[in-house]
Amino acid sequence: MGSPYDILRLPGLEVPVEAPRAAYVERLKALFPDEAKAIDRCFWACDEAQKATMALFAAKAAPAPVAAVLRWVNARRVRRALSITTAEAVREIRDPRLVAVLTARWGDYGVPPAQSPFAIHALVTDSYANGAYYPIGGPARFAEELGKTIRDAGGELRTYAPVSEIRVADGRVVGVRLVDGDSIDASVVVSAMGARNTVAALPKEVAPEWRREIESIDPSVSYVTLYLGFRGDIRAHGATSANIWVYEDFDVGRVWERPADDDPPSLFVSFPSLKDPAHPDPEHHTAEVVVICRWEPFAAWSDSKHGDRPEAYKAAKERIGERLLAQFERHFPSLAPLIDFHEVSTPLSQTSFVHADRGAMYGLVMSAERMRHKALKVRTPVPGLLLAGQDLISPGIQGAFMGGIMAAASIEPRLWMQMPR
Ligand SMILES: Cc1cc2nc3c(=O)[nH]c(=O)nc-3n(C[C@H](O)[C@H](O)[C@H](O)COP(=O)(O)OP(=O)(O)OC[C@H]3O[C@@H](n4cnc5c(N)ncnc54)[C@H](O)[C@@H]3O)c2cc1C
């Protein structure tokens, strides 16, 4: 995505987040010269915590003896990375503006700085050391390419095919049943539909202890999105491929508590069509305006179905759209006249379209408890049932891919040899 790939906009302060990381560190030191040493220490601590976190995750797929060694060797580093929050990790920094800058991108993993384990902040921050990436042709390319690999290997893909049950006989997995009644036999089932959905699909009497453990981990926060369509050259009006994180004040850890009644505390604005070199039409563009919010204000409507929501929900959604649009136009006045289309999604959309429990943005919450939880391993207590996807390791495309690779390598160990690549 080039550099800067993120831009932080705080009252009276704009900070481009540059790649590679050394350039960003120099930028921060130039902006906050009195904090130069603390900035170095902060990034050093990030590297240490990142290494500890990778070791913790490797143990999730490794055979028991190897996992035990990994845990033992890294115990001290892991304990430290999980025992302090992101906010505590930057407490040496005196300038509250720099504290805000260093912690502002918590939306990348969905836990505010006062609650997030430093380990996940370090992991995600370090993943951007060389910049950010966007798939040429858009995110659908992932599905197209992976699908091709599966088909070329003789596999079959079914979409719009929800699993109603993971079938178990004599204590081990024997396949799945689909909502349409179809049954598929399989000696191994890899579930990437989320850990909570996975245990919900198991027969009640199977692995009750594991089910309780998974259900004890909360889902992550949810989110609202305003989707915008523009007619005209938005680049000529100031938009770039960089994501823009807009904060109304320096208290960057606020979640949107009451979306229908209050203004959002922040906006994450991204222009996907400017990130994609294959975008075919210079006169039509899109933006996504995301705000992290609570699920609770939407819970009352959770029994309703997409396309048949109650009037009260529709009215609330309308108000949310108006607030978001007004906020966007205030911060991006030169883009406002080009807006040609807008649509809002709420936590209920996330539930409808990806079956996310309580509209969770990132699956299970990235708490310290979740990160060290022994129930979240590739091999589940049900023989033949493997866990993959973002709940295994961490949210994000990389986290989801890593979960998939770990599950695949647990079936075909030769794949471990490809991991370093
Ligand atoms: C707004 C937003 C922006 C994001 N931006 C980024 C980003 O820029 N970079 C990044 O790396 N990550 C980003 N993420 C995170 C990333 O999208 C997720 O972490 C990742 O997609 C998780 O992949 P997954 O396959 O584990 O889960 P999902 O993508 O949630 O896939 C789970 C699938 O399981 C299906 N499913 C559920 N129940 C059943 C059932 N019973 N039967 C069959 N199928 C079922 C669902 O329909 C869904 O398709 C973003 C997330 C959100 C919400």
Side-chain angles (χ1 to χ4, degrees):
M1 275 173 52
S3 179
Y5 58 92
D6 275 337
I7 295 172
L8 305 173
R9 266 193 207 167
L10 294 136
L13 177 69
E14 181 160 309
V15 181
V17 183
E18 284 148 337
R21 192 178 82 175
Y24 177 45
V25 171
E26 285 316 307
R27 164 80 63 175
L28 289 177
K29 288 181 182 174
L31 284 168
F32 302 96
D34 295 345
E35 302 275 13
K37 285 207 174 98
I39 290 170
D40 278 336
R41 277 195 291 273
C42 188
F43 279 93
W44 177 83
C46 255
D47 289 342
E48 285 296 292
Q50 188 265 357
K51 283 180 214 146
T53 313
M54 290 305 277
L56 178 75
F57 289 158
K60 283 179 179 287
V66 180
V69 172
L70 278 171
R71 283 202 197 93
W72 183 75
V73 170
N74 290 286
R76 238 177 102 194
R77 279 205 299 207
V78 168
R79 218 175 14 251
R80 180 170 162 71
L82 288 178
S83 65
I84 61 167
T85 64
T86 306
E88 285 165 345
V90 296
R91 71 182 153 204
E92 191 194 340
I93 290 163
R94 285 156 303 173
D95 190 326
R97 296 175 311 147
L98 179 56
V99 169
V101 166
L102 289 172
T103 57
R105 294 186 294 157
W106 63 269
D108 279 341
Y109 46 85
V111 192
Q115 288 101 45
S116 54
F118 184 47
I120 186 61
H121 175 83
L123 185 77
V124 174
T125 308
D126 268 34
S127 76
Y128 288 111
N130 293 313
Y133 302 84
Y134 190 83
I136 296 174
R141 297 290 296 146
F142 288 135
E144 287 160 15
E145 288 299 315
L146 288 167
K148 185 171 171 317
T149 302
I150 291 167
R151 289 195 185 98
D152 288 352
E156 187 194 336
L157 280 176
R158 296 196 195 177
T159 54
Y160 297 97
V163 167
S164 58
E165 187 190 339
I166 298 171
R167 288 161 44 224
V168 177
D170 298 329
R172 67 165 295 128
V173 153
V174 291
V176 295
R177 183 166 296 109
L178 304 182
V179 164
D180 66 8
D182 211 0
S183 239
I184 300 172
D185 295 334
S187 56
V188 176
V189 169
V190 178
S191 174
M193 63 181 171
R196 281 171 159 262
N197 287 335
T198 302
V199 295
L202 282 171
K204 284 274 175 286
E205 68 283 3
V206 173
E209 181 60 24
W210 184 54
R211 176 195 300 273
R212 268 194 297 280
E213 287 179 338
I214 297 290
E215 286 172 348
S216 73
I217 309 171
D218 285 333
S220 74
V221 283
S222 193
Y223 70 105
V224 160
T225 303
L226 171 69
Y227 300 91
L228 294 174
F230 301 96
R231 193 183 290 270
D233 184 2
I234 56 171
R235 211 183 275 278
H237 289 77
T240 70
S241 64
N243 305 311
I244 305 190
W245 302 71
V246 180
Y247 285 92
E248 298 297 339
D249 57 41
F250 284 91
D251 183 6
V252 296
R254 285 196 290 143
V255 173
W256 201 7
E257 301 283 346
R258 303 186 316 149
D261 304 310
D262 298 331
D263 286 340
S266 59
L267 304 175
F268 169 85
V269 182
S270 130
F271 301 98
S273 53
L274 296 186
K275 295 178 184 180
D276 184 2
H279 179 64
D281 184 347
E283 282 301 306
H284 287 91
H285 291 281
T286 58
E288 287 167 22
V289 182
V290 181
V291 188
I292 291 183
C293 73
R294 298 263 175 241
W295 157 253
E296 285 72 13
F298 300 89
W301 302 302
S302 60
D303 286 341
S304 64
K305 294 262 175 299
H306 173 64
D308 187 22
R309 304 280 193 212
E311 286 308 316
Y313 168 80
K314 289 183 193 162
K317 190 173 162 182
E318 182 83 26
R319 290 204 300 282
I320 291 168
E322 282 163 13
R323 277 177 196 289
L324 278 172
L325 202 53
Q327 195 103 336
F328 178 85
E329 289 179 347
R330 188 157 60 76
H331 285 285
F332 300 87
S334 54
L335 293 177
L338 306 184
I339 296 174
D340 189 38
F341 167 87
H342 77 273
E343 185 171 16
V344 172
S345 77
T346 74
L348 296 194
S349 321
Q350 177 77 348
T351 302
S352 292
F353 290 104
V354 282
H355 296 258
D357 196 6
R358 286 188 254 168
M361 183 172 188
Y362 292 126
L364 300 175
V365 65
M366 282 308 280
S367 60
E369 182 207 9
R370 174 238 155 119
M371 288 180 75
R372 67 163 82 88
H373 214 299
K374 298 231 169 64
L376 293 171
K377 285 193 305 194
V378 173
R379 289 184 189 80
T380 73
V382 188
L385 176 61
L386 305 185
L387 204 58
Q390 64 184 344
D391 285 349
L392 181 63
I393 299 290
S394 78
I397 302 300
Q398 289 185 37
F401 271 115
M402 194 51 77
I405 288 173
M406 284 181 164
S410 299
I411 300 167
E412 174 46 271
R414 277 181 307 166
L415 286 174
W416 289 120
M417 307 304 287
Q418 294 188 19
M419 290 288 263
R421 289 203 279 140

